[in-house]
Amino acid sequence: MHDERPGVLLEHALDRYEYPGDMARMSSAAAAHIGARISTARKNRSMSVDELAVASKIDSSNIRGYEAGRALMNVQSLVRIAEALEVEAGVLLEGVSSAMFAQER
């Protein structure tokens, strides 16, 4: 059954909207986990968000969204962030499981 209240429709639309830099607005336990790992790796290298943004060629607002777990990056962005942090991409994905991703509504 479909809920057609305007707020619910807008919420569903925003969940699937792609923002600049292929930043999908899709909060999930996976996004929060990966974001925390990015933030930790960045801080361990004494990098600011802006420095990571320049090194990865990804807008700083996207980096902030990733670190806050508000968005999940695509694979290319994940690899660029990992390269900028001088870690393997797998390090940022460590501990992630399919159960952590938001389920399709």
Side-chain angles (χ1 to χ4, degrees):
M1 185 171 235
H2 231 317
D3 190 339
E4 300 209 9
R5 292 174 292 166
V8 173
L9 289 176
L10 178 59
E11 179 183 327
H12 291 304
L14 289 175
D15 284 347
R16 290 175 180 80
Y17 184 78
E18 296 291 326
Y19 289 82
D22 291 327
M23 184 173 86
R25 288 282 176 136
M26 197 167 270
S27 185
S28 66
H33 182 82
I34 295 166
R37 294 191 62 82
I38 291 169
S39 178
T40 298
R42 177 180 58 76
K43 290 173 184 173
N44 286 343
R45 293 196 42 78
S46 301
M47 290 179 85
S48 69
V49 169
D50 291 331
E51 289 170 331
L52 177 55
V54 169
S56 64
K57 297 182 175 82
I58 296 172
D59 189 82
S60 62
S61 65
N62 286 359
I63 300 288
R64 285 183 185 86
Y66 302 151
E67 287 191 0
R70 291 189 308 263
L72 191 59
M73 75 287 308
N74 62 31
V75 174
Q76 180 183 15
S77 294
L78 178 74
V79 170
R80 287 167 51 190
I81 290 168
E83 288 175 349
L85 293 170
E86 298 180 1
V87 300
E88 294 292 324
V91 168
L92 301 178
L93 294 172
E94 189 174 314
V96 174
S97 70
S98 61
M100 296 171 78
F101 290 87
Q103 297 298 312
E104 202 52 42
R105 297 178 202 194

